[in-house]
Amino acid sequence: MRKSIFLMLPLLALLITGCSQPQTKQTKVNSVKPTTESLLKSASKTWTFSQSISSQQTSHGVSDTLTASEVSKIDNQSSWTASKGTLISTSVKYKQISLKKWQTDMRQHFTKSAQAQIHLMTVPQINAVLKKLGATVKVTKLSDLVFFETKVSGMTLPQGFIASGHHLYAINIYYRDTDKTTTIDRGQSFTDTATKKTTSAIALDRLNGTWIAPETTTSANDTGKIMIKDGYLYQHRYDSFERSAIQSLGDYALVSLNQNTIYAAQKVNAAQAGYQLTSKSVASGDSIGYLYLFTSANQLIRIGQGVATTYQRTNALVAASDLPQTDVTIFEQMATLKPGEVASTITVKAGPPIVGMTDSIKYLTDATAGQINSNDPVSINNGTVTLD
């Protein structure tokens, strides 16, 4: 009996070890896709172009030698905006789809003979591009990337996307057979502007006053001085006063903003200077294309062609010498004299004031803003404006 017990003990230990071993073994899950999906769920997040990678392709396949493309940030104006899981570029919306659906839909846009010439990049090829772009993450399978197609027409994007840190990576996933050597795009990286934050909504009456940009070299076209009064931004250029509306973007539906091409272009304008224009921003524009982004009740950033100029509010009042009350009265009363239009400019030379009328001065959302319909001479007597 004792001998049989001793023989059974090693067998029992072996059985216990065998049963417990699968429970201690853990499979490492790649967090690349969950991280990407989490960042894409932001209410509004914009990445602007950083760099592009390419390689040669021959009749033998795709080369492993990757090179930086000759594309500068200035030449490439592309950007991506995430909004609650939707990816947007120049107001075109893309919805996330599975890898399986992406492959099916992608191939449907090719003939059967062309489909036989399509090949997908391998995981090592994708990771090589990520590394060349400076990414610190890797994929273990194609489905670690996030894929998109247009919401309306079902056209697939040729890239798979990964978001990590302050970067968005767009990796080209497929290529077609070729008989001659050619250069193909392998991927791009885009960078967000998380290092610079803008404030939430500011009441427009808190912005009234005179604003100065100390570093500006003043000229007839740029005095370095802005006057703000009751929701409008005024500035003097040459012989004219120009006016634009200050817009609280929170008053607009997010869906409407994301479909607006003017807003999309200004988001890129802001992002290139390191700032985020969002649906919570308070901002304005002008006829030259500048963006005026309020970062607080006492500071605004003027952005144009990636250059940012800082303005500080120096006085809560606007001096009559900077913005005469006569001009303010003309701006205000012209809307009554010409219903459906708004005064954009007032020019004074030798004769009576000439008022430039337009359909809109909302430069952040209206493509027609600042386009002059007519130049009307006016007179003002005892505070009443009349058309001459």
Side-chain angles (χ1 to χ4, degrees), residues 164-183:
S164 177
H166 297 308
H167 301 283
L168 179 71
Y169 303 98
I171 312 300
N172 286 54
I173 300 301
Y174 69 83
Y175 62 95
R176 294 177 61 183
D177 290 336
T178 181
D179 294 330
K180 58 183 180 180
T181 301
T182 184
T183 300

Side-chain angles (χ1 to χ4, degrees), residues 356-378:
M357 299 299 294
T358 183
D359 293 330
S360 172
I361 53 175
K362 295 181 178 180
Y363 286 91
L364 301 186
T365 54
D366 197 330
T368 66
Q371 295 180 11
I372 303 301
N373 299 328
S374 63
N375 287 293
D376 302 317
V378 299

Side-chain angles (χ1 to χ4, degrees), residues 86-341:
T86 298
L87 201 60
I88 306 166
S89 180
T90 59
S91 77
V92 179
K93 291 185 175 182
Y94 300 89
K95 63 180 180 181
Q96 183 179 343
I97 56 175
S98 67
L99 170 60
K100 183 178 180 180
K101 179 171 174 54
W102 176 84
Q103 290 189 75
T104 300
D105 293 354
M106 177 267 291
R107 291 180 180 277
Q108 284 179 350
H109 296 291
F110 295 93
T111 62
K112 288 187 176 181
S113 59
Q115 288 182 23
Q117 300 174 349
I118 297 174
H119 307 281
L120 301 183
M121 296 290 180
T122 65
V123 168
Q125 286 175 321
I126 292 171
N127 284 331
V129 174
L130 285 169
K131 183 178 180 180
K132 187 70 175 180
L133 289 170
T136 58
V137 295
K138 293 182 178 181
V139 299
T140 57
K141 53 188 181 300
L142 280 179
S143 57
D144 285 338
L145 293 101
V146 177
F147 297 88
F148 291 90
E149 68 180 13
T150 55
K151 281 192 169 185
V152 179
S153 60
M155 291 294 293
T156 56
L157 286 170
Q159 302 96 347
F161 291 83
I162 290 177
S164 177
H166 297 308
H167 301 283
L168 179 71
Y169 303 98
I171 312 300
N172 286 54
I173 300 301
Y174 69 83
Y175 62 95
R176 294 177 61 183
D177 290 336
T178 181
D179 294 330
K180 58 183 180 180
T181 301
T182 184
T183 300
I184 62 171
D185 293 329
R186 296 289 299 275
Q188 295 179 327
S189 65
F190 300 80
T191 306
D192 71 15
T193 55
T195 55
K196 297 179 181 178
K197 296 181 179 179
T198 55
T199 188
S200 297
I202 309 168
L204 297 187
D205 58 4
R206 294 181 59 202
L207 303 176
N208 286 346
T210 302
W211 298 69
I212 301 293
E215 67 269 33
T216 299
T217 302
T218 59
S219 65
N221 185 47
D222 188 0
T223 64
K225 180 185 291 187
I226 288 172
M227 289 71 68
I228 294 178
K229 185 176 178 64
D230 301 331
Y232 294 99
L233 185 152
Y234 300 87
Q235 54 189 313
H236 199 268
R237 286 191 173 127
Y238 300 108
D239 299 317
S240 302
F241 274 106
E242 293 188 9
R243 180 176 73 149
S244 59
I246 299 173
Q247 297 178 253
S248 295
L249 296 178
D251 294 340
Y252 298 82
L254 183 59
V255 173
S256 175
L257 282 177
N258 286 336
Q259 293 175 340
N260 191 296
T261 57
I262 306 301
Y263 172 72
Q266 287 289 21
K267 281 182 71 69
V268 176
N269 192 16
Q272 287 177 336
Y275 291 87
Q276 287 275 349
L277 178 67
T278 73
S279 58
K280 295 181 180 180
S281 297
V282 175
S284 187
D286 68 10
S287 60
I288 294 179
Y290 282 123
L291 168 67
Y292 299 84
L293 181 60
F294 291 89
T295 57
S296 74
N298 295 301
Q299 178 177 281
L300 72 84
I301 308 297
R302 186 188 72 182
I303 301 170
Q305 297 181 340
V307 178
T309 302
T310 302
Y311 285 74
Q312 301 288 344
R313 189 169 71 145
T314 59
N315 198 314
L317 299 174
V318 176
S321 57
D322 291 329
L323 180 63
Q325 181 57 44
T326 298
D327 291 283
V328 175
T329 301
I330 293 173
F331 274 120
E332 291 174 345
Q333 292 189 20
M334 287 302 292
T336 302
L337 293 174
K338 302 196 72 172
E341 296 185 49

